[in-house]
Amino acid sequence: MGLNDALFAVFALGALCSALAVVLTRNTVHVALHFVGHLLCLAALYSLLDAPLLGVLQVMVYAGAVMVLFLFAVMILDMREQEREPLFSSRGQAFGGLVLAGLLLALLGAALGHDRLASALAPAADPALPSVGADNIPRVARLLFREGALVFEAVGVLLLTAVVAVMVMAKRKLEN
Amino acid sequence: MFGIGFVLSLALSIFALGAFGVAVRRDPLVMFICIEMMFNAANLALVGLSRYLGLVQGHALVFIVVAVAAAEVAVGLGIIIAIFRTEKDVNVDHLSELRG
């Protein structure tokens, strides 16, 4: 087992544990901080899976920008009263959530074990297949800016729309 | 070396945890974080499949998903704060209407 495998195992375990902590922690600020840890573990996993660009993007966009927005919202909302309430509002709800998660796991696990998917994934199990390689950033760029240029522009329009929508919502509050 | 099955199982477990969180927690911010966790599980599956199938399409798709998720967070948090300003209460069990 090489260094990469050991790192992969450590970060996979970290991602899973921090995901559990997100679901089971009561304090909203602690939830947000556990989620930052989860995102950093995922960024490391992306880098180990030959996607260094996405790892960096994950740290900058998610762990940086998005989580700062979340923490701002937590500060504005002032959750102190919520924290006195029990973590799960009823036993039935927790049971229902467990059933939902179990069904999802069973469904996806069954899909993973299905013959057709297994045969589609068969080349992945072949060690002789050249992997995507760590120097794939030019290929991703070519895909995004040539074949996917229209999608890329559409994402730009979407972000602009979101910014305008948030500004409209904020402005209406000021008029009231 | 960890195979594709390991990566997909990890993504699947994180996705199920996120779904559990959305179903169980009553605080809209935590529900939102759990939804983001499900996004990230899908991203992890895409990156893993790209890695083991030798494709870069998954990377481009993850790029798009991250941008869409950022837009979703901005709008969603705006809505949650707008509701809080009028209702002073953000427990989703107590909120029964969207009209101000």
Side-chain angles (χ1 to χ4, degrees), chain A residues 100-174:
Chain A
L100 174 73
L103 278 178
L104 256 177
L105 271 178
L107 180 71
L108 299 177
L112 211 59
H114 197 268
D115 290 343
R116 207 181 285 176
L117 186 70
S119 61
L121 289 180
D126 183 6
L129 186 91
S131 79
V132 64
D135 53 344
N136 52 36
I137 297 173
R139 284 173 68 198
V140 178
R142 220 167 288 135
L143 187 68
L144 262 181
F145 296 124
R146 283 202 190 137
E147 290 93 347
L150 189 66
V151 180
F152 187 77
E153 296 293 330
V155 167
V157 173
L158 175 78
L159 285 171
L160 181 69
T161 316
V163 168
V164 172
V166 171
M167 281 172 67
V168 168
M169 274 193 289
K171 188 160 175 286
R172 197 169 52 203
K173 275 176 295 198
L174 285 183

Side-chain angles (χ1 to χ4, degrees), chain A residues 5 23 25 28 39 46 50 58 62 70 77 79 85 87-88 93 97 104-105 124 129 131-132 136 155, chain B residues 1-2 6 8 12 19-20 24-27 32-33 36 40 43 49 51-52 55 59 63 67 69 84 91:
Chain A
D5 284 356
V23 176
T25 308
T28 314
L39 292 173
Y46 290 172
D50 291 348
Q58 177 92 352
Y62 256 114
F70 261 110
L77 289 186
M79 295 299 199
E85 294 180 5
L87 187 57
F88 307 131
Q93 205 170 35
L104 256 177
L105 271 178
L129 186 91
S131 79
V132 64
N136 52 36
V155 167
Chain B
M1 187 66 200
F2 290 106
F6 180 79
L8 286 182
L12 190 152
F20 175 73
V24 162
R25 300 299 294 264
R26 297 297 83 189
D27 171 351
F32 220 68
I33 287 180
E36 294 300 314
N40 275 300
N43 281 351
L49 283 170
R51 161 70 176 75
Y52 290 105
L55 301 167
H59 293 187
F63 188 86
F84 178 72
N91 189 319

